[in-house]
Amino acid sequence: MKKLILSAAIILGGLSTMSAQEAMPEQSATPTEETMPAETAAATETDATTATATASTQTGYSEISNDEVPSAVSDALVKAYPNATVSKAYVNENNQYQLDVKVDDKEGSLFADENGKWIQN
């Protein structure tokens, strides 16, 4: 039960982050826009994908194929979220991975280091 509640909270938190970032214009981001509440952004599924790509570019993550994700990260995902499927994977210069995942009908992003330990980003 704890895992179910935790996974729902992580996924919903990731979705609200994507919604808030989607509301920001790419060309001129000011501190006021960066702290905009997620409730002001209405995201469609296509907009959420665009926001994820934008967020990944802005945070130093570059897209990789799902095959390039280390087995430790994949194993941690399977252990924590057995029903999750990875739609996209990203890596940054610190070997931290961002996984865009879908669990049932919910989508979000998870972050892990190269050893498969979950990190908050």
Side-chain angles (χ1 to χ4, degrees):
M1 186 68 181
K2 287 182 182 179
K3 286 184 180 179
L4 180 62
I5 293 171
L6 179 61
S7 64
I10 290 173
I11 291 172
L12 291 175
L15 290 175
S16 65
T17 301
M18 284 189 276
S19 296
Q21 291 178 351
E22 178 254 300
M24 294 187 312
E26 288 184 25
Q27 297 172 352
S28 61
T30 62
T32 309
E33 292 170 340
E34 290 177 6
T35 58
M36 182 182 298
E39 293 80 20
T40 61
T44 62
E45 204 167 304
T46 306
D47 292 338
T49 303
T50 304
T52 302
T54 303
S56 298
T57 303
Q58 291 175 349
T59 58
Y61 285 88
S62 56
E63 188 170 354
I64 59 172
S65 71
N66 292 350
D67 296 334
E68 294 179 65
V69 176
S71 61
V73 176
S74 299
D75 293 344
L77 179 66
V78 170
K79 183 178 178 183
Y81 306 100
N83 297 332
T85 57
V86 178
S87 56
K88 290 186 180 180
Y90 305 90
V91 65
N92 68 9
E93 63 277 354
N94 297 327
N95 287 329
Q96 296 173 335
Y97 294 85
Q98 173 184 345
L99 304 175
D100 291 346
V101 297
K102 183 173 183 177
V103 179
D104 298 324
D105 61 342
K106 299 189 181 345
E107 295 181 16
S109 295
L110 299 171
F111 298 88
D113 65 12
E114 62 188 326
N115 298 320
K117 293 184 182 177
W118 300 113
I119 55 176
Q120 292 185 353
N121 208 3

